[in-house]
Amino acid sequence: MRHNPRIPSGAVETMWDRCRFEMKLVNPANKRKYSVIVVGSGLAGGAGAATMGELGYNVKCFCYQDSARRAHSIAAQGGINAAKNYQNDGDSVWRLFYDTVKGGDFRAREANVYRLAQLSLNIIDQCVAQGVPFAREYGGMLANRSFGGAQVSRTFYARGQTGQQLLLGAYQALMRQVDAGRVKMFPRAEMLDLIVIDGKARGIVTRDMVSGRIESHLADAVVLGTGGYGNVFYLSTNAKGCNATAIWRAYKRGADFANPCFTQIHPTCIPVSGEYQSKLTLMSESLRNDGRIWVPVAKGDKRPASQIPEQERDYFLERRYPSFGNLAPRDVSSRAAKMVCDEGRGVGHTGLGVYLDFADAFQRLGRATMDERYGNLFEMYEQITGEDPHSVPMRIFPASHYTMGGLWVDYRLMSTIPGLFVIGEANFSDHGANRLGASALMQGLADGYFIIPYTLGDYLASNKFEKVSTDHPACKEAEDNVNGITRRLLGVNGRHTVDHFHRELGKIMWEYCGMARNAAGLQKALARIPELRDEFWRDVRVLGENEELNQSLEKAGRVADFLELGELLCLDALERDESCGGHFREEHQTADGEAIRNDERFCHVTAWEHRGPGVKPVQHREPLEFHYVLPSVRSYK
Amino acid sequence: MRIVLHIWRQKNGRSSGKMVRYELPDINSHMSFLEMLDVLNERLIEKGEDPVAFDHDCREGICGMCGFVINGTAHGPVRGTTVCQLHMRHFQDGEELYLEPWRAKAFPVIKDLMVDRGAFDRIIAAGGYVSVSTGSAPDGNAIPIPKDNAELSMDAAACIACGACVAACPNASAALFTAAKISHLALLPQGEPERHQRSLRMVAQANTEGFGACSNVGECEAVCPKKITLENIARMFRDYIGASWTRRPAGASRG
Ligand SMILES: Cc1cc2nc3c(=O)[nH]c(=O)nc-3n(C[C@H](O)[C@H](O)[C@H](O)COP(=O)(O)OP(=O)(O)OC[C@H]3O[C@@H](n4cnc5c(N)ncnc54)[C@H](O)[C@@H]3O)c2cc1C
Ligand code: FES
């Protein structure tokens, strides 16, 4: 069976223990005889590479930045969830499990989510031991805050720089292994193809981004922790370099792509200010703990916020979702903001924005407390917009932020290519159709520190590996493939820059496959994207050569892949004829605009199998079963 | 607004470079500095000229990837701000700006405004961590940490390793960077066991990399986008001297 999820038998609480017990172990003395490639040094890849180094494997770790410490995980602001129940507010592993399954709108595997909730406890302990300076109470105990989609306070944080501090913890653990000689780090190296030998993933082809050298690296297994594909929308909260190239090229080698249409639009980002805009900046969701979201009651009310009296303001989240209020989940909040802007009540010069107002909180808590909580976010907002959120409310608007979809993996995080494991945001596994805030960091670290080191060991112990060298025809073939793409890109010498095409793709994706989607729009996108792709290959201009540092060439390869992935995303969105989580099909909504799921037809994971260029990919389904958290209408009212 | 740029152009680490003048007549004051360079690059490509290479990634002031010198100041004129967070509203119409890469022996230029900061990784590898393997951690609340210590530690841990401190220092010293990591860990109970060894090894590694010595000029603090303070350097030296007295210096040569 191509998509056997390999879920352990028994009660959900015991599955991971049983799985660990049943897995084969590699004798400690033999570990150094095995080699592992880890692509990515973010929370997932960095944690995985460090831990496998500690265990004694020979690890090679790759990233495209100049240092492992700069992976995009660094930008996460708000926090990381864990079911510690330190606040004694009724939290438990079970509740985190429940919230995550429900938050994902019943499109994730229960078994995976339960394991994630269990491991959340170990993550915090591990990070504290590494010296992550989490926020503390006066008594010296760890502090918590709440995040969207939960009614307990279970989010751990380090000011507005939680991702940075967690990543530095993983990075330092990784550098300790570099020091010990067990991990070799390859910065400024981009993976451009996967090497598959006798049906097993055995290596990667990389380009040295300084010299342009194309090289094959071989190992006994390959792990991808290369992050999400949110930049398919061009404007997103992701770093400029975030890309889908590693997972896309693995897809073309046989790793099926699951649920590409499950993308997350984050409700609180700084609105677009002009055509030159190169990226969007997130304002952490944690701000919604103390900020209130509103727009004027009247359409086209252009008065400054301070002149709009209380009774002429519509606190639309508090009004529509009284029990969660400003902390309603991301998909729900984003759509609500879109709806009021569509009605002509948006704020700012573009009309695409809503207020996030801290006036009440400043009064209640005082400026010092507020600055301690959010100081760096206020500063960042002021740097970008030139407005001071201490005196005027912030303006925010939804933006592409996270991708729940990714390469299909089984319970052990292995893709449809044996020996290719996928961790972190790059896989599709735990968040279903919508991710709750502060859960991506948790998943990345669970995958990296606590899952992959075991499951990869089992794979190594259960298989025999022929000795292979880089003379193998499969390496040559993959290198030729990479060189061919490069030659083509450099050979077009057309009229438009790579960014031009990326921006165009982004507009199509945002318009037809963004916060709300419908069949007619998706069909338009599906007609338009292949045309744009043809234009790209006919008319793109990439100057210079391969044998030098060439940032246009790097971008061109990534955009070429986005131009293909965008099409699969729209196809998946068209086929999933229901609304669930971040995937909102306008055809399926209640009279007041709430999503309508269709469990009868769509209670499954869609996994797409690549069948060659120009051929429609094959659609597979992995049915989802719910034994513990029974599907219900997801209400935050 | 009109902006005139003089940018250091250097093809690669082996060639020599020179300043080249570019003029941008129509810059929007809401753009970020890097967005202005994006506009320049789009135009250069359209004219068939090699675009300007500069490092960047998050564009949120947190990854530490970006950084160059603007009119003699690392990261430009606004304090506590990386170039990616710097906006054109801080400049005047018609202003002439000189952009150069970080200049330090330990940071060789790769191309144009990009340098190799691999030396920073090697300093961290020389002990900038707590030696705790996955799986062996006690409960997160087992050791209470006074809030003030956690906050001070966080102040130091906020370093983004951009390299501005080195670029601003007349000695090209990496003292602020090294001290930030030493302080971050020294202020926490988890960092205590390896405190001495860590300071000896990291300082030795910085010397090996060719960074200069600290002579208390303070330029580093002035340009640091994360406002890391000189106090950390004092703490590093205290640890280093203490370690040199109480430990055999053998540890230092391991770097
Ligand atoms: C602005 C922002 C704020 C966020 N805030 C939160 C939050 O508060 N809480 C939360 O839980 N989540 C948050 N998230 C989500 C979370 O940060 C990410 O999902 C998570 O960090 C992803 O980690 P990762 O290890 O999977 O990938 P990344 O950290 O993106 O790492 C990817 C790695 O892969 C490497 N790579 C990629 N492609 C290639 C290639 N082709 N070749 C070689 N190397 C490659 C990169 O160099 C990098 O090292 C936030 C996300 C954003 C964008
Ligand atoms: S680009 Fe990340 S700090 Fe400037």
Side-chain angles (χ1 to χ4, degrees):
Chain A
M1 195 161 92
R2 195 175 170 93
H3 299 100
N4 179 357
R6 291 204 286 171
I7 295 172
S9 57
V12 75
E13 303 92 313
T14 60
M15 283 178 181
W16 179 230
D17 280 346
R18 180 166 318 103
C19 178
R20 282 201 297 178
F21 178 69
E22 285 168 359
M23 281 189 292
K24 288 196 183 151
L25 299 176
V26 179
N27 176 323
N30 281 342
K31 289 201 173 106
R32 66 190 156 76
K33 296 183 187 150
Y34 288 104
S35 56
V36 179
I37 284 173
V38 178
V39 189
S41 62
L43 286 183
T51 305
M52 289 189 285
E54 287 163 8
L55 290 173
Y57 295 111
N58 272 306
V59 181
K60 280 184 175 181
C61 181
F62 298 80
C63 70
Y64 71 75
Q65 293 91 346
D66 72 332
S67 163
R69 67 181 292 150
R70 308 202 199 279
H72 190 54
S73 295
I74 199 110
Q77 303 168 347
I80 177 165
N81 287 331
K84 284 285 198 184
N85 194 31
Y86 284 156
Q87 305 306 322
N88 197 26
D89 55 0
D91 200 9
S92 61
V93 167
W94 197 266
R95 188 176 292 278
L96 177 55
F97 162 60
Y98 174 89
D99 285 350
T100 309
V101 171
K102 176 184 169 200
D105 217 357
F106 305 94
R107 292 293 176 265
R109 274 184 212 135
E110 280 188 328
N112 285 55
V113 178
Y114 193 87
R115 174 178 63 187
L116 178 64
Q118 274 176 309
L119 293 175
S120 71
L121 307 176
N122 308 56
I123 292 171
I124 299 304
D125 300 341
Q126 186 63 34
C127 296
V128 169
Q130 288 170 344
V132 171
F134 282 119
R136 301 261 164 184
E137 308 288 357
Y138 280 103
M141 298 298 152
L142 289 158
N144 290 113
R145 55 166 63 137
S146 339
F147 245 57
Q151 285 169 315
V152 290
S153 204
R154 63 160 76 99
T155 305
F156 294 78
Y157 62 101
R159 298 199 188 138
Q161 290 121 283
T162 316
Q164 179 196 29
Q165 295 309 316
L166 295 174
L167 184 64
L168 293 183
Y171 160 75
Q172 287 163 205
L174 184 64
M175 295 321 277
R176 175 171 162 243
Q177 294 311 308
V178 168
D179 192 31
R182 294 198 203 92
V183 175
K184 187 159 166 31
M185 202 50 228
F186 294 79
R188 292 205 203 268
E190 182 161 18
M191 166 183 167
L192 294 177
D193 209 346
L194 181 75
I195 299 170
V196 182
I197 298 178
D198 298 332
K200 293 195 192 103
R202 290 300 301 273
I204 60 172
V205 176
T206 57
R207 178 173 179 274
D208 177 321
M209 293 159 74
V210 177
S211 68
R213 207 162 98 102
I214 301 295
E215 205 177 356
S216 292
H217 297 268
L218 294 170
D220 298 315
V222 176
V223 181
L224 301 185
T226 50
Y229 52 89
N231 274 349
V232 69
F233 290 94
Y234 183 64
L235 288 181
S236 89
T237 62
N238 289 8
K240 291 294 284 176
C242 289
N243 68 89
T245 290
I247 55 172
W248 192 250
R249 299 201 181 170
Y251 164 72
K252 288 174 137 183
R253 293 278 174 194
D256 292 359
F257 207 117
N259 297 336
C261 80
F262 289 166
T263 58
Q264 180 166 78
I265 308 292
H266 196 293
T268 53
C269 304
I270 302 179
V272 176
S273 75
E275 180 68 9
Y276 51 80
Q277 189 101 23
S278 62
K279 75 154 283 164
L280 293 170
T281 302
L282 177 80
M283 287 285 104
S284 168
E285 171 166 293
S286 61
L287 289 167
R288 292 201 272 145
N289 270 304
D290 291 305
R292 300 179 67 196
I293 295 181
W294 65 274
V295 289
V297 171
K299 267 187 206 172
D301 185 342
K302 289 289 165 204
R303 287 176 293 175
S306 58
Q307 288 170 26
I308 303 181
E310 197 59 28
Q311 66 278 13
E312 290 175 46
R313 299 176 175 195
D314 178 13
Y315 295 89
F316 55 93
L317 287 178
E318 297 172 24
R319 171 173 57 81
R320 288 181 57 178
Y321 307 101
S323 58
F324 279 71
N326 292 298
L327 286 175
R330 292 180 175 176
D331 52 339
V332 173
S333 309
S334 292
R335 274 198 300 281
K338 177 181 190 305
M339 223 183 272
V340 294
C341 293
D342 288 348
E343 289 164 18
R345 299 197 283 141
V347 301
H349 74 272
T350 57
L352 294 174
V354 301
Y355 288 126
L356 176 60
D357 198 335
F358 302 98
D360 287 359
F362 278 121
Q363 275 204 336
R364 184 161 38 90
L365 300 165
R367 185 169 171 141
T369 309
M370 285 293 284
D371 281 352
E372 191 188 306
R373 282 187 196 168
Y374 309 112
N376 71 317
L377 297 172
F378 292 159
E379 237 172 72
M380 197 194 277
Y381 183 83
E382 187 172 357
Q383 275 171 342
I384 294 174
T385 61
E387 294 171 2
D388 177 7
H390 294 96
S391 46
V392 289
M394 281 186 182
R395 282 174 298 110
I396 52 161
F397 196 66
S400 158
H401 175 60
Y402 181 87
T403 51
M404 283 76 69
L407 293 185
W408 184 90
V409 289
D410 63 18
Y411 185 73
R412 299 180 182 191
L413 306 183
M414 191 162 88
S415 70
T416 47
I417 302 177
L420 178 71
F421 292 78
V422 191
I423 58 179
E425 192 173 339
N427 73 25
F428 89 106
S429 66
D430 299 356
H431 307 292
N434 174 55
R435 173 174 72 79
L436 292 181
S439 289
L441 301 182
M442 170 172 77
Q443 183 224 333
L445 291 180
D447 289 2
Y449 285 133
F450 297 110
I451 302 175
I452 194 77
Y454 290 103
T455 58
L456 194 118
D458 173 67
Y459 170 79
L460 294 174
S462 318
N463 282 278
K464 284 232 167 344
F465 299 93
E466 303 277 317
K467 261 233 148 330
V468 286
S469 79
T470 49
D471 305 331
H472 194 281
C475 299
K476 180 84 182 58
E477 190 264 333
E479 287 175 27
D480 287 348
N481 178 42
V482 169
N483 285 321
I485 297 172
T486 304
R487 256 196 312 276
R488 259 182 90 195
L489 289 168
L490 290 171
V492 181
N493 202 14
R495 286 172 304 167
H496 297 297
T497 63
V498 175
D499 282 345
H500 163 85
F501 290 101
H502 198 178
R503 260 194 302 270
E504 287 306 305
L505 174 67
K507 283 181 195 156
I508 300 172
M509 297 303 298
W510 185 247
E511 172 75 18
Y512 300 115
C513 204
M515 263 184 287
R517 304 155 175 186
N518 62 54
L522 289 166
Q523 267 145 357
K524 256 189 225 153
L526 283 168
R528 183 66 193 110
I529 294 169
E531 287 169 11
L532 184 66
R533 196 164 58 227
D534 288 347
E535 288 164 35
F536 173 86
W537 285 106
R538 262 201 330 267
D539 212 9
V540 72
R541 173 177 291 188
V542 186
L543 300 173
E545 48 194 77
N546 176 57
E547 287 71 29
E548 61 175 352
L549 190 142
N550 188 337
Q551 292 178 312
S552 307
L553 178 63
E554 294 161 16
K555 268 197 266 187
R558 297 171 191 162
V559 171
D561 292 338
F562 281 134
L563 282 163
E564 297 180 5
L565 166 61
E567 186 178 359
L568 186 70
L569 208 162
C570 292
L571 178 63
D572 188 48
L574 183 64
E575 295 282 320
R576 190 169 279 278
D577 193 12
E578 65 163 346
S579 293
C580 62
H583 171 65
F584 188 75
R585 283 286 298 268
E586 286 170 344
E587 300 93 325
H588 304 288
Q589 56 179 315
T590 62
D592 55 352
E594 302 298 338
I596 302 177
R597 234 178 32 232
N598 184 339
D599 290 333
E600 232 153 77
R601 286 185 58 211
F602 294 100
C603 196
H604 59 247
V605 175
T606 310
W608 296 93
E609 179 189 352
H610 181 70
R611 278 295 177 85
V615 183
K616 194 174 168 190
V618 178
Q619 185 185 151
H620 299 275
R621 288 172 181 183
E622 178 204 326
L624 291 171
E625 287 172 25
F626 292 88
H627 298 292
Y628 300 91
V629 188
L630 299 184
S632 58
V633 176
R634 195 167 144 249
S635 167
Y636 292 91
K637 293 241 173 207
Chain B
M1 59 203 280
R2 191 179 73 99
I3 296 286
V4 178
L5 296 169
H6 301 265
I7 304 180
W8 181 260
R9 301 303 311 264
Q10 178 174 339
K11 195 165 166 42
N12 55 43
R14 295 176 304 281
S15 53
S16 55
K18 61 169 191 295
M19 299 299 280
V20 178
R21 183 177 187 279
Y22 302 96
E23 200 171 321
L24 290 164
D26 51 352
I27 290 304
N28 181 317
S29 67
H30 287 299
M31 280 181 186
S32 72
F33 203 90
L34 299 187
E35 282 166 349
M36 173 190 66
L37 291 184
D38 291 342
V39 170
L40 171 68
N41 278 343
E42 295 260 295
R43 292 186 188 161
L44 289 177
I45 294 169
E46 276 159 14
K47 284 199 287 187
E49 290 176 32
D50 192 24
V52 179
F54 59 94
D55 261 325
H56 66 103
D57 202 24
C58 73
R59 297 202 175 188
E60 293 192 6
I62 191 75
C63 73
M65 193 87 175
C66 69
F68 44 79
V69 173
I70 305 174
N71 288 356
T73 306
H75 286 303
V78 181
R79 279 208 158 200
T81 303
T82 53
V83 284
C84 63
Q85 291 291 83
L86 180 62
H87 280 66
M88 295 313 292
R89 68 178 79 87
H90 298 291
F91 298 90
Q92 319 251 299
D93 188 26
E95 217 171 321
E96 298 216 9
L97 304 174
Y98 292 80
L99 314 189
E100 291 177 82
W102 295 160
R103 304 251 185 229
K105 189 170 116 209
F107 285 167
V109 173
I110 296 176
K111 182 176 180 177
D112 299 339
L113 301 174
M114 289 166 82
V115 299
D116 179 352
R117 287 169 292 203
F120 272 5
D121 281 336
R122 293 186 290 274
I123 293 178
I124 299 295
Y129 44 73
V130 174
S131 297
V132 51
S133 294
T134 304
S136 57
D139 185 82
N141 262 345
I143 311 173
I145 301 179
K147 185 177 167 69
D148 290 346
N149 290 17
E151 295 291 331
L152 269 181
S153 170
M154 179 65 208
D155 287 344
C159 168
I160 57 173
C162 61
C165 47
V166 174
C169 176
N171 310 330
S173 165
L176 193 64
F177 166 77
T178 311
K181 187 47 65 195
I182 288 176
S183 279
H184 157 208
L185 296 173
L187 284 161
L188 297 172
Q190 287 81 7
E192 191 59 36
E194 295 167 289
R195 185 169 176 172
H196 281 173
Q197 176 76 359
R198 180 181 304 119
S199 66
L200 289 175
R201 283 192 67 206
M202 289 179 72
V203 170
Q205 186 65 33
N207 293 338
T208 311
E209 295 291 345
F211 291 106
C214 171
S215 55
N216 274 317
V217 179
E219 281 295 320
C220 51
E221 183 188 65
V223 298
C224 176
K226 296 295 141 182
K227 302 180 183 161
I228 310 281
T229 58
L230 291 176
E231 185 190 338
N232 293 294
I233 298 186
R235 192 175 293 111
M236 169 172 79
F237 284 138
R238 261 201 314 276
D239 277 13
Y240 182 77
I241 293 167
S244 311
W245 278 95
T246 54
R247 287 252 175 163
R248 298 174 67 81
S253 60
R254 264 187 67 198

